[in-house]
């Protein structure tokens, strides 16, 4: 069993940066495909960034060039660096893990509880 715990959310002004972190426990992170999703208020959850075991990444068009996903196998964490934040980035952000490559698809097996990001204009 894998447990995921997100941290790093908060409130920031437009143009600012935040770094989200997801602590993975239960198994080494190197055995999983990892992803970040977000769910704005009243909307569906959508994929933001994903990381394949061979290092290949995938990003939603809305965050390309601003967000970056990375993994630290020593710490067993996956981070999401978010720069040039916009009010439309406001959402609950979730970490996800799976044993199959889903890219930005929603059907990852393991999910965290989420961390809130609020961007004010």
């Amino acid at each position: 069993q894998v447990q995921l715990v997100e941290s790093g959310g908060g409130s920031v002004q437009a143009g600012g940066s935040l770094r989200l972190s997801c602590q993975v426990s239960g198994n080494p992170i190197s055995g999983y495909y990892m992803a970040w999703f977000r769910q704005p208020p009243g909307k569906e959850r959508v994929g933001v960034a994903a990381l394949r075991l061979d290092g290949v990444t995938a990003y939603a068009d809305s965050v390309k060039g601003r967000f970056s996903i990375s993994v630290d196998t020593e710490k067993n964490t996956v981070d999401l660096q978010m720069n040039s934040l916009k009010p439309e980035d406001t959402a609950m952000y979730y970490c996800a893990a799976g044993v199959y490559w889903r890219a930005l698809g929603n059907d990852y097996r393991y999910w965290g509880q989420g961390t809130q990001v609020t961007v004010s204009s």
Side-chain angles (χ1 to χ4, degrees):
Q1 189 72 2
V2 173
Q3 292 83 40
L4 309 175
V5 178
E6 303 95 336
S7 63
S11 297
V12 64
Q13 288 192 328
S17 298
L18 281 174
R19 188 175 184 90
L20 306 183
S21 187
C22 174
Q23 181 69 57
V24 178
S25 60
N27 278 309
I29 195 172
S30 57
Y32 295 90
Y33 299 99
M34 303 299 301
W36 283 93
F37 288 75
R38 68 186 182 187
Q39 186 168 19
K43 297 184 178 181
E44 293 185 350
R45 186 168 59 190
V46 296
V48 173
L51 179 63
R52 214 164 66 179
L53 294 179
D54 58 1
V56 171
T57 56
Y59 294 96
D61 288 343
S62 59
V63 306
K64 281 181 181 177
R66 301 189 298 122
F67 289 14
S68 177
I69 187 172
S70 62
V71 67
D72 187 327
T73 55
E74 290 190 2
K75 295 181 179 179
N76 233 36
T77 57
V78 57
D79 290 355
L80 184 68
Q81 177 66 42
M82 305 186 296
N83 300 323
S84 303
L85 283 162
K86 305 176 182 179
E88 51 264 43
D89 294 319
T90 294
M92 184 69 78
Y93 282 72
Y94 298 91
C95 175
V99 296
Y100 301 101
W101 177 239
R102 303 301 190 194
L104 301 180
N106 237 328
D107 51 347
Y108 282 78
R109 182 170 181 179
Y110 303 104
W111 293 85
Q113 294 299 307
T115 184
Q116 177 69 36
V117 172
T118 303
V119 184
S120 58
S121 57

